[in-house]
Amino acid sequence: MAGSVYKVIALVGTCTESWEKAATAAVNLASQSLRDLRIAEVTTLDMQLEDGKVAKYRAKVKVSFKFEGS
């Protein structure tokens, strides 16, 4: 049977500027060590607060890539 298997991992990217840049940071770093990334799904957006102000934007991202077993 021909087919493919994909693995899904969860990442959290952070940025002081925006959620979009936080998600992009997570994907960019993952792409340095994982091959054949397929889908990135933003699952949660939240913020880290300090003294009642936004300190960082956080994006929780699920990333899938082709699984190559041994």
Side-chain angles (χ1 to χ4, degrees):
M1 177 172 108
S4 298
V5 174
Y6 296 89
K7 184 170 179 109
V8 178
I9 61 170
L11 306 168
V12 177
T14 64
C15 181
T16 58
E17 297 177 35
S18 71
W19 283 302
E20 183 177 354
K21 288 183 179 182
T24 300
V27 172
N28 286 345
L29 188 56
S31 70
Q32 292 177 18
S33 61
L34 300 172
R35 294 183 309 154
D36 209 7
L37 294 179
R38 296 297 177 116
I39 301 290
E41 175 187 3
V42 176
T43 58
T44 307
L45 300 173
D46 61 26
M47 296 176 278
Q48 180 181 342
L49 306 175
E50 291 179 9
D51 298 322
K53 296 181 182 177
V54 176
K56 289 184 183 175
Y57 295 90
R58 298 184 341 148
K60 296 177 185 175
V61 182
K62 287 185 180 178
V63 178
S64 68
F65 55 96
K66 195 168 186 178
F67 183 74
E68 298 176 10
S70 54

